[in-house]
Amino acid sequence: MIFLNAPVAQDQIIALLNNYNQDDVTFEFVDKQGMKLRFKTNMADLEAAAKTAKAAIKAENWGSVLYFQAGVE
């Protein structure tokens, strides 16, 4: 499971990652606790999954200005 700590644009992040499907990598929103968003992924390497999610968000024009953290649980 990966997590993203994001104080803003949470709905946009959830929608982006729920619809993400590149190179057969997918994410599924699990729950939200404050500013912490948790996602399941089909990637075996969770560190790589967190980096993929972060890169996907940063690639969006609204995501390039966000401050957030991505990590593994």
Side-chain angles (χ1 to χ4, degrees):
M1 183 129 3
I2 68 165
F3 70 88
L4 298 164
N5 286 330
V8 296
Q10 292 179 342
D11 292 337
Q12 291 169 293
I13 291 170
I14 292 168
L16 174 69
L17 293 182
N18 273 341
N19 294 312
Y20 185 90
N21 191 356
Q22 292 182 6
D23 300 324
D24 292 325
V25 174
T26 60
F27 297 95
E28 180 185 341
F29 177 67
V30 175
D31 66 5
K32 172 180 155 178
Q33 298 170 344
M35 68 177 193
K36 185 179 199 177
L37 307 173
R38 297 177 355 141
F39 292 87
K40 284 194 261 185
T41 182
N42 64 343
M43 288 183 73
D45 183 349
L46 294 179
E47 291 290 337
K51 288 179 183 177
T52 299
K54 187 171 186 175
I57 295 165
K58 289 290 187 182
E60 298 293 316
N61 39 347
W62 52 264
S64 63
V65 297
L66 288 182
Y67 176 75
F68 65 94
Q69 295 173 315
V72 174
E73 290 192 327

